[in-house]
Amino acid sequence: MGRWICCLCSRVADPLMLLLVLALGFKPSTAATASPSVPHVKPSYSFGRTFLGLDKCNACIGTSICKKFFKEEIRFDTWLSSHLKLPPSSLLSYSGNYTDDAKSWRLVDITRLTSKYQHDRADKRICTSLLKTKTCSLERALRRTQRFQKWLRAKRLTPDLVQGLSSPMLRCPSQRLLDRIVRRYAEVPDAGSIYMDHLTDRDKLRLLYTLAVNSHPILLQIFPDVEGWPFPRYLGSCGRLVVSASTRPLRDFFSAAPEVAADLALQLLAVLRSMGNNDLNYFFYFTHVDAGTFGVFSNGHLFIRDASTLGIIDKEEGSQLIDGQQEYKDIFSCLTVDCQSPFVSCDSIREKHSLVMVCQELLPKLLTGKFPSPVQEKIDTLLQRCARGLGDDGGVNEAIAELAGILKPLRSCDSRFAYRYPDCRYSDKY
């Protein structure tokens, strides 16, 4: 009996001794590595206020989307790499990814209103012109100006408050257009009022600064895509960066297949017609177009990608500034352009103005050499007639109508054109 108990004790002792030996030889570092209870350290993205332009607020665009950046719900494409580095701050635009639920992501464009070099140059001009120093508080300097003091006292945004600003949108302003800006300014809580009572001093400076530098984000806000306007959706601003829905520039499609080129050309002409004739009686015209002015969404739909060169004439109210008043210049007139740049007379703008520029600059690059003879020769002849049409309103419209008639049967109806497919199979609209 005693031998059986002793044997049992030795059998029990062997595993105990083994556990003791293992415990004495176990390294704490190994345990830390293997333990599932240790939390995973997530790489963090380091944002400098300088990169975003927050160090320049309130001489900036806004802060409505800053939380998205800091919560990593807006990511630059380079953030998807293992290095997790921010892109160079010298770029004018960036491709990014945006999410609302951290699961599904969509492409966005992240842009500066002007290059960082131009921003820095303008900041220096503010300091040297207003305070006679190389560096200064931009907000303090701009607050001292006569124009901003008038903005602080104003209850309503009136034409005299924007006179002399370089934005084409404000060269021929109407009170109706200015009221729309205040009522739909998206960087403040929506008050639905034409009066500026809901704008703080900070809000007024940001709005004035944006209008002075580049009116592109304001146009996206006051003429939103959800109402049918041909602009990408405005998602918000942070410092001096603007976030909007992503489009590919038209230049990427200059070598596209003939049916794609025909489709984009027809869309381009349709956009220009809608900007000249719409229910709100605003006439939009371009002061300049290039290969980046228009963009194309992933569904094939063409939009105005860069609205910075769009002017607006109110066909209902007309301009409430005479040309002499436009000559007023101050520091806000010179933030991105030469102060000596002449203004275009409101009376000199014609409805064919944008059509002629597009026929000169964009349509030949999109349509030349795409179609068999004699169709190509006919298209080339019509484009030349349109491009020379500055002195002949009727000639331009006739050439465009004939061009559209040629292009319409050249486009196809398939899934590449998701914005109109499968509707095009059942409707003669397309």
Side-chain angles (χ1 to χ4, degrees):
M1 184 72 173
R3 289 179 59 191
W4 182 84
I5 294 175
C6 181
C7 181
L8 180 62
C9 289
S10 73
R11 289 181 181 181
V12 174
D14 288 344
L16 290 176
M17 288 297 293
L18 179 61
L19 287 174
L20 180 60
V21 170
L22 288 174
L24 291 174
F26 208 62
K27 295 183 179 179
S29 58
T30 307
T33 303
S35 173
S37 62
V38 177
H40 174 66
V41 179
K42 184 179 180 181
S44 61
Y45 303 103
S46 176
F47 258 120
R49 291 170 58 83
T50 302
F51 181 87
L52 294 170
L54 282 171
D55 58 324
K56 304 297 177 65
C57 281
N58 292 301
C60 63
I61 312 165
T63 56
S64 61
I65 209 165
C66 286
K67 286 184 178 179
K68 286 278 186 182
F69 278 104
F70 290 113
K71 290 169 64 179
E72 300 171 24
E73 293 176 347
I74 296 177
R75 297 183 177 183
F76 295 89
D77 274 353
T78 53
W79 283 12
L80 302 180
S81 71
S82 59
H83 297 88
L84 306 176
K85 291 181 179 179
L86 289 173
S89 60
S90 58
L91 299 180
L92 188 60
S93 63
Y94 311 88
S95 179
N97 299 274
Y98 176 102
T99 186
D100 287 316
D101 55 14
K103 296 178 182 177
S104 58
W105 294 81
R106 51 190 166 121
L107 291 175
V108 293
D109 289 333
I110 305 169
T111 57
R112 300 183 188 278
L113 297 191
T114 186
S115 69
K116 190 174 186 303
Y117 168 77
Q118 289 175 303
H119 268 311
D120 292 343
R121 187 180 175 189
D123 294 343
K124 186 175 181 180
R125 184 184 293 130
I126 291 170
C127 293
T128 55
S129 299
L130 300 179
L131 297 181
K132 311 303 180 185
T133 60
K134 291 184 179 180
T135 59
C136 69
S137 165
L138 299 177
E139 180 173 356
R140 188 180 306 120
L142 294 177
R143 279 177 172 272
R144 294 182 180 181
T145 60
Q146 181 180 358
R147 186 191 294 265
F148 186 65
Q149 289 301 311
K150 289 177 65 176
W151 272 63
L152 288 178
R153 296 189 297 269
K155 293 291 185 181
R156 191 175 184 183
L157 185 60
T158 51
D160 63 297
L161 295 177
V162 299
Q163 65 176 311
L165 297 183
S166 63
S167 168
M169 183 181 76
L170 299 172
R171 289 181 187 174
C172 312
S174 69
Q175 187 59 58
R176 185 168 72 113
L177 176 63
L178 298 179
D179 288 344
R180 189 176 182 88
I181 291 174
V182 173
R183 196 171 62 247
R184 295 187 167 216
Y185 181 42
E187 288 298 311
V188 298
D190 181 17
S193 172
I194 62 174
Y195 297 102
M196 295 197 290
D197 298 336
H198 62 294
L199 270 63
T200 64
D201 294 357
R202 174 201 65 193
D203 298 329
K204 289 182 179 181
L205 180 57
R206 291 178 180 177
L207 176 57
L208 173 55
Y209 179 85
T210 307
L211 291 172
V213 174
N214 187 328
S215 59
H216 170 77
I218 302 299
L219 274 159
L220 270 55
Q221 294 169 42
I222 66 177
F223 298 108
D225 67 309
V226 293
E227 295 179 3
W229 298 97
F231 300 109
R233 180 166 301 181
Y234 177 81
L235 297 172
S237 299
C238 184
R240 290 180 170 179
L241 292 179
V242 179
V243 183
S244 59
S246 177
T247 59
R248 289 177 60 193
L250 188 62
R251 69 171 67 89
D252 290 356
F253 297 86
F254 285 163
S255 59
E259 62 272 18
V260 175
D263 182 82
L264 292 175
L266 282 168
Q267 286 193 73
L268 184 52
L269 297 177
V271 165
L272 295 183
R273 282 195 297 271
S274 70
M275 302 308 276
N277 296 281
N278 50 75
D279 293 342
L280 293 184
N281 262 337
Y282 288 115
F283 167 54
F284 297 77
Y285 65 93
F286 285 98
T287 58
H288 170 79
V289 295
D290 58 36
T293 301
F294 297 90
V296 183
F297 283 121
S298 58
N299 65 357
H301 207 171
L302 182 138
F303 275 60
I304 297 173
R305 190 172 192 257
D306 179 4
S308 62
T309 62
L310 267 181
I312 302 178
I313 294 176
D314 192 334
K315 293 170 24 175
E316 190 171 300
E317 286 190 2
S319 171
Q320 296 189 19
L321 277 184
I322 61 174
D323 289 338
Q325 287 178 293
Q326 291 182 333
E327 297 305 319
Y328 174 86
K329 300 285 180 68
D330 66 354
I331 190 63
F332 288 100
S333 309
C334 318
L335 291 182
T336 56
V337 297
D338 183 356
C339 278
Q340 305 306 315
S341 300
F343 285 112
V344 177
S345 169
C346 299
D347 297 331
S348 68
I349 307 299
R350 299 287 180 267
E351 291 198 8
K352 64 179 181 180
H353 186 83
S354 298
L355 282 171
V356 171
M357 281 197 296
V358 165
C359 288
Q360 291 173 340
E361 301 296 330
L362 298 182
L363 288 180
K365 297 175 182 176
L366 192 61
L367 299 175
T368 299
K370 292 290 175 67
F371 306 97
S373 181
V375 174
Q376 186 66 60
E377 285 79 0
K378 184 63 175 175
I379 290 174
D380 294 343
T381 299
L382 292 171
L383 289 178
Q384 292 169 10
R385 278 177 54 192
C386 173
R388 294 194 303 262
L390 288 175
D392 181 8
D393 288 354
V396 172
N397 291 328
E398 289 173 6
I400 290 300
E402 193 171 346
L403 177 64
I406 293 174
L407 292 175
K408 192 169 184 179
L410 295 177
R411 60 181 182 173
S412 63
C413 179
D414 58 61
S415 57
R416 288 176 298 170
F417 310 99
Y419 80 95
R420 58 181 174 89
Y421 180 84
D423 296 351
C424 52
R425 291 193 178 279
Y426 311 107
S427 171
D428 58 3
K429 173 185 175 183
Y430 299 103

